[in-house]
């Protein structure tokens, strides 16, 4: 929730800095990058929370928590990189995608173990 609030505040600050009133989503390139970074992070948040929850319940809370913290860090770096330049988002984007795949694997392994093992 804190990351979502931080990202939303950055959009608000960019709107004020570049004098772009809502509901406009285009304007200065810096604003567009910040707006898009915030939207991208918001789009992936439900997937992340769902995978984190299932992996934590059915696999292991500690492992899921570490993956979750790493994911949040990579999304923060993604936001910072995208705000600076479009190319700056790529490294953290790939890292966060790998962490989502890892959480998916952990969740699947935990569910399989829970429902198939005696």
């Amino acid at each position: 929730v804190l990351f979502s609030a931080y990202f939303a505040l950055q959009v608000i600050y960019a709107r004020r800095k570049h004098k772009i009133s809502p509901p406009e989503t285009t304007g200065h390139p810096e604003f567009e990058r910040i707006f898009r970074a915030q939207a991208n992070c918001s789009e992936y948040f439900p997937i992340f929370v769902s995978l984190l929850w299932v992996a934590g319940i059915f696999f292991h809370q500690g492992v899921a928590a570490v993956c979750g913290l790493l994911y949040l860090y990579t999304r923060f770096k993604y936001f910072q990189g995208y705000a600076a330049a479009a190319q700056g988002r790529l490294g953290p984007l790939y890292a966060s995608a790998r962490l989502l795949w890892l959480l998916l694997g952990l969740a699947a392994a935990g569910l399989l173990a829970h429902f198939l093992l005696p």
Side-chain angles (χ1 to χ4, degrees):
V1 175
L2 292 177
F3 276 101
S4 296
Y6 171 77
F7 297 152
L9 283 173
Q10 295 308 305
V11 172
I12 291 169
Y13 298 148
R15 281 187 183 282
R16 289 179 183 161
K17 178 180 177 182
H18 299 292
K19 297 177 177 48
I20 300 171
S21 299
E24 294 294 321
T25 58
T26 59
H28 194 275
E30 180 186 24
F31 166 75
E32 289 182 12
R33 288 192 311 271
I34 291 171
F35 180 81
R36 192 67 235 153
Q38 186 266 339
N40 289 346
C41 290
S42 296
E43 290 165 358
Y44 277 90
F45 194 71
I47 297 167
F48 162 66
V49 170
S50 300
L51 291 174
L52 182 67
W53 179 70
V54 174
I57 289 174
F58 291 101
F59 188 79
H60 189 275
Q61 289 179 358
V63 174
V66 168
C67 289
L69 289 172
L70 288 171
Y71 177 81
L72 291 174
Y73 176 74
T74 59
R75 288 313 279 195
F76 179 72
K77 297 305 283 181
Y78 166 85
F79 187 89
Q80 287 182 324
Y82 204 170
Q87 287 298 109
R89 77 189 193 287
L90 294 177
L93 174 66
Y94 297 142
S96 66
R98 284 190 293 272
L99 286 163
L100 281 180
W101 280 108
L102 177 59
L103 281 172
L104 177 65
L106 296 176
L111 286 169
L112 287 172
H114 179 76
F115 288 110
L116 296 181
L117 296 179

